[in-house]
Amino acid sequence: MAHPHARRATTRTRLVLRVIAGVVAAAAAIVFLLSIWMVVSSRFGWDDRELHGYSLLFGTPIALFAGLVVALSLPLVLPPKHRSRTRAVSLGVLAATVVLLVMAVVTA
């Protein structure tokens, strides 16, 4: 049987790791949403300030990388019994976003 202090330390360590994963997921989600906004506004915006399409070309890989970080770190925030469903949903959303972003780049 494990010592009570060892179990409490393991629980604290897991909590700290879950909080760190939450901070990483939140920061990556902010970058993900901002880069998607940049790509969408470059592709469908009415403003003619973005003449060369650099935000479309550079925003797409940034969004893909940030989305991958979100999809991999978000399930670590939740308890273990909810991780598989969260992983499936986050990877599905990432796949749909990748398809839409690539379509936006190709059709520009």
Side-chain angles (χ1 to χ4, degrees):
M1 191 154 147
H3 196 269
H5 294 294
R7 185 172 181 206
R8 190 176 315 150
T10 304
T11 305
R12 266 192 215 146
T13 304
R14 287 182 183 171
L15 179 64
V16 167
L17 290 176
R18 285 172 64 184
V19 168
I20 291 171
V23 169
V24 168
I30 291 170
V31 171
F32 180 63
L33 292 174
L34 288 175
S35 60
I36 285 179
W37 178 257
M38 184 172 62
V39 169
V40 169
S41 67
S42 172
R43 176 66 176 94
F44 300 110
W46 296 287
D47 219 2
D48 291 334
R49 289 182 294 174
E50 224 292 309
L51 299 176
H52 303 291
Y54 288 131
S55 60
L56 181 69
L57 293 176
F58 291 122
T60 300
I62 291 171
L64 297 178
F65 180 72
L68 185 63
V69 171
V70 171
L72 294 178
S73 62
L74 185 64
L76 299 176
V77 176
L78 300 173
K81 65 180 180 179
H82 298 295
R83 286 184 185 163
S84 62
R85 181 178 296 151
T86 306
R87 186 175 296 118
V89 169
S90 63
L91 287 175
V93 169
L94 177 64
T97 305
V98 166
V99 168
L100 292 174
L101 286 173
V102 169
M103 283 175 38
V105 169
V106 171
T107 61

